[in-house]
Amino acid sequence: MDSDRRSGYFQNQDNAYAASTRTAPKPHAHNSSMASNFQNRTSRDFQNTIRDPYQDAGKTPGGTPASKDDDENGWNVYADFNNAGPRYSSLKKNDGYQTIPSPSIRPPPSVVRETDEQQPHVELVTVPALGAEWKAEELRAMTKKGRKEDRTYERQEKWKEWMRDQRGICGKWGTRRAIVWGLFITICIVGIILAFTLPRVPSFTWNKDAPLAAVNDPENPPKFATVPAATFAFNASLDVHIDTGSNFLPLKFNYARVQIADLDTGRLIAEGGLEGYILPAKAYTRVYIPVMFNYTAANNTDQTWANMYNACKNSNQYPDRVRPGVNLSVAVQMGIAGLVTHPATSTVLTSAPCPFELDASHS
């Protein structure tokens, strides 16, 4: 069936092209054929034609049914548009009728010439090339200053969005609310950790009755001399109690430097201290801080030398066998591991007894 349709289609195209190039019939032949046709038809035939114009669509002009070969040979895909199909063959008009040519068939030269004559005359002119259609804002955006302004604007917009909690620092992470909560939780954790680990400055309790303790050192016995200059030198220990009750971890002294001066004259007479000393946490520990007394004066009339010598003389040289004490000013500077600052403490020791007693020969 498909092969028959294709063969009928090409045959019809040939018929259409031949029909377009066929010469018109002679006037007298046309009139004679029309006259004979009208003479052969009766009034009843005219009535039937008017009543049902599509009744004879499948019949030949003689009234006999069309054969199958005639239908196949007369099939045209443009028949419905040209009113040339079997259903419209009895109504089509031949006056001014022109068959529509197939797109694949080239129209005759006469049709081409008539079409060209109907077209208006077109004049070709040279049009200058159009320039770049850039706006002033677009041209400005191409400059270095414009790109810098765009980057600044983008940063400002991102900052505004972050302040409105609409974006984060890393995508959806790092929004303002998340950062605030993260900082709050971090501060709380750090505060709890520091509360347990940060060292506290301990408190010192001094032994008021006997703040100085003697040191038995046969190689360096106590010395007092008056010639050629008034001097004294001896080793002792400063008796003190250190309270670490506010610390949760052991307390380490990087150093603890002690300076002792004569309270009456203000002269420095002793120095000492500790290094790398560790105290237990939450304890009240007794510590002996080693100090070394060393002082030199011009003669034995010096008030600082005389105060220390009178406190350390033999008790037999006093009628009531009671030796006078010495007034001291003690200052301690500490370096504690874990603290940036260097805390210090000081105290005054009045009537502190000398830690040793000189021989009776020292008069």
Side-chain angles (χ1 to χ4, degrees), residues 146-330:
R147 292 193 297 268
K148 184 177 180 181
E149 291 178 355
D150 293 341
R151 290 193 296 268
T152 303
Y153 178 76
E154 291 179 0
R155 286 194 296 267
Q156 292 176 355
E157 290 298 319
K158 291 180 180 179
W159 172 256
K160 291 179 182 179
E161 292 177 359
W162 185 81
M163 291 296 294
R164 291 192 293 264
D165 207 16
Q166 295 178 350
R167 65 176 297 139
I169 296 177
C170 299
K172 64 179 182 179
W173 304 101
T175 59
R176 192 180 68 160
R177 179 178 298 178
I179 291 176
V180 170
W181 278 104
L183 289 177
F184 176 74
I185 295 173
T186 302
I187 291 173
C188 292
I189 294 174
V190 171
I192 294 173
I193 293 174
L194 293 178
F196 288 95
T197 60
L198 191 67
R200 276 82 167 177
V201 179
S203 59
F204 288 72
T205 302
W206 307 92
N207 187 351
K208 299 294 184 179
D209 297 334
L212 298 175
V215 176
N216 187 10
D217 189 2
E219 296 181 357
N220 296 312
K223 296 179 182 179
F224 277 83
T226 56
V227 290
T231 61
F232 63 84
F234 60 92
N235 294 326
S237 296
L238 192 62
D239 188 6
V240 62
H241 289 78
I242 302 177
D243 185 9
T244 58
S246 59
N247 288 270
F248 294 91
L249 298 176
L251 186 66
K252 179 181 180 180
F253 282 101
N254 292 331
Y255 62 87
R257 300 189 181 98
V258 179
Q259 292 182 341
I260 301 176
D262 190 325
L263 185 61
D264 298 334
T265 61
R267 297 292 185 88
L268 182 65
I269 59 176
E271 288 183 339
L274 297 172
E275 290 186 0
Y277 194 81
I278 299 176
L279 296 175
K282 294 187 176 299
Y284 188 74
T285 307
R286 187 175 186 177
V287 179
Y288 291 95
I289 303 175
V291 292
M292 183 178 182
F293 286 80
N294 190 358
Y295 180 77
T296 301
N299 50 50
N300 57 1
T301 61
D302 184 82
Q303 183 64 37
T304 302
W305 185 89
N307 292 338
M308 184 57 67
Y309 179 73
N310 293 331
C312 295
K313 282 194 311 183
N314 193 284
S315 60
N316 293 328
Q317 297 179 6
Y318 292 95
D320 54 359
R321 302 179 62 86
V322 177
R323 297 182 305 170
V326 61
N327 298 325
L328 302 175
S329 174
V330 180

Side-chain angles (χ1 to χ4, degrees), residues 85-103:
R87 299 183 61 182
Y88 304 101
S89 59
S90 61
L91 294 178
K92 70 176 183 178
K93 297 180 180 181
N94 294 329
D95 298 336
Y97 171 76
Q98 184 178 359
T99 305
I100 298 176
S102 173

Side-chain angles (χ1 to χ4, degrees), residues 78-157:
Y78 295 99
D80 292 341
F81 301 99
N82 297 332
N83 295 330
R87 299 183 61 182
Y88 304 101
S89 59
S90 61
L91 294 178
K92 70 176 183 178
K93 297 180 180 181
N94 294 329
D95 298 336
Y97 171 76
Q98 184 178 359
T99 305
I100 298 176
S102 173
S104 61
I105 300 176
R106 184 177 181 181
S110 60
V111 177
V112 175
R113 287 195 298 270
E114 292 177 0
T115 305
D116 293 342
E117 292 176 358
Q118 295 176 1
Q119 294 293 335
H121 180 67
V122 178
E123 181 181 0
L124 300 179
V125 296
T126 302
V127 180
L130 298 178
E133 298 180 357
W134 301 106
K135 297 182 180 179
E137 297 179 355
E138 296 174 340
L139 293 175
R140 181 178 177 83
M142 296 178 184
T143 61
K144 183 177 180 180
K145 183 178 180 181
R147 292 193 297 268
K148 184 177 180 181
E149 291 178 355
D150 293 341
R151 290 193 296 268
T152 303
Y153 178 76
E154 291 179 0
R155 286 194 296 267
Q156 292 176 355
E157 290 298 319

